[in-house]
Amino acid sequence: GLDSVRENLQKMKELMVSARQPGVDRANVQTEITGLQTDMQNKAGASVLNEQNFLEVDTTDANYTATKSVVASFERTAGGTISISTIDLDISTDITTLEESIAIVDAALVDVITAQNLVGVNLARAESQQSFLTALSDANDRAIGALVDANMEEESTKLRALQTQQQLAVQSLSIANAASQNVLTLFR
């Protein structure tokens, strides 16, 4: 019932806004609004739950109370005792209060949408920064890999040069030893 009332109130609001426009047949707009009001009254009268109507208010009824009780919970304790808890609802809401509530809900919706937009913008910025940092990290990894590869090649070249020097030194000693043997042979 409340959803239907909210939808009808939204339609009424749209009709009233459209009635501002020049050239609009305001009599037709009023007819539509009257139909929506009748529809809301009918749905309020039909919104009965457990023989209680929470939307239709008749203050002239001798049995009328502005507070209605609704079962909130059914509990069974360990000893088998059953208890029922209720919530009391004040249904004396009039159309002015309803309009104020709708305005509050509209303002809350605007705040939520604004917050969603802000979060969306910040999320997009964070995702953009994450993509940039990932690309930057990948570029750094490639650069470090290139440096490591370059240093390995340089060290490998140095190692080969040292090994060649060592082999030459060994051959020089071998030649020097052989030469001293030759000189000794001459003196014999």
Side-chain angles (χ1 to χ4, degrees):
L2 285 174
D3 280 342
S4 177
V5 168
R6 182 190 51 78
E7 289 171 7
N8 284 352
L9 286 172
Q10 184 64 36
K11 288 176 188 173
M12 287 174 63
K13 180 180 172 182
E14 291 168 4
L15 287 168
M16 287 186 249
V17 169
S18 71
R20 291 181 186 162
Q21 304 301 320
V24 172
D25 186 353
R26 292 190 176 111
N28 284 341
V29 171
Q30 183 57 50
T31 302
E32 288 184 54
I33 289 174
T34 302
L36 290 171
Q37 289 172 331
T38 302
D39 185 53
M40 285 189 290
Q41 289 171 347
N42 291 338
K43 287 180 180 171
S47 294
V48 177
L49 178 65
N50 293 333
E51 298 181 14
Q52 294 190 47
N53 189 313
F54 293 92
L55 299 181
E56 186 176 51
V57 177
D58 183 5
T59 56
T60 61
D61 184 1
N63 295 325
Y64 170 75
T65 60
T67 304
K68 302 283 186 177
S69 294
V70 177
V71 174
S73 68
F74 175 86
E75 300 171 4
R76 183 175 303 185
T77 61
T81 307
I82 296 174
S83 64
I84 296 175
S85 300
T86 60
I87 298 174
D88 293 331
L89 298 174
D90 183 358
I91 62 165
S92 61
T93 306
D94 62 4
I95 194 68
T96 304
T97 306
L98 186 57
E99 289 291 342
E100 290 170 356
S101 297
I102 290 171
I104 290 168
V105 169
D106 283 344
L109 283 171
V110 168
D111 289 344
V112 168
I113 290 168
T114 301
Q116 275 184 311
N117 288 340
L118 181 62
V119 168
V121 166
N122 286 330
L123 182 60
R125 286 178 59 198
E127 288 172 350
S128 173
Q129 287 296 318
Q130 182 180 11
S131 295
F132 173 74
L133 290 175
T134 299
L136 187 60
S137 177
D138 290 347
N140 282 339
D141 288 345
R142 285 190 305 271
I144 289 170
L147 286 174
V148 167
D149 290 345
N151 287 342
M152 293 300 284
E153 289 173 8
E154 182 181 328
E155 293 300 321
S156 176
T157 304
K158 286 182 184 177
L159 179 62
R160 282 190 213 123
L162 287 173
Q163 287 173 340
T164 303
Q165 286 177 348
Q166 183 181 17
Q167 288 172 354
L168 288 174
V170 168
Q171 282 184 341
S172 297
L173 283 175
S174 173
I175 292 170
N177 284 338
S180 65
Q181 290 298 329
N182 290 337
V183 170
L184 285 175
T185 312
L186 286 174
F187 289 113
R188 282 193 196 168

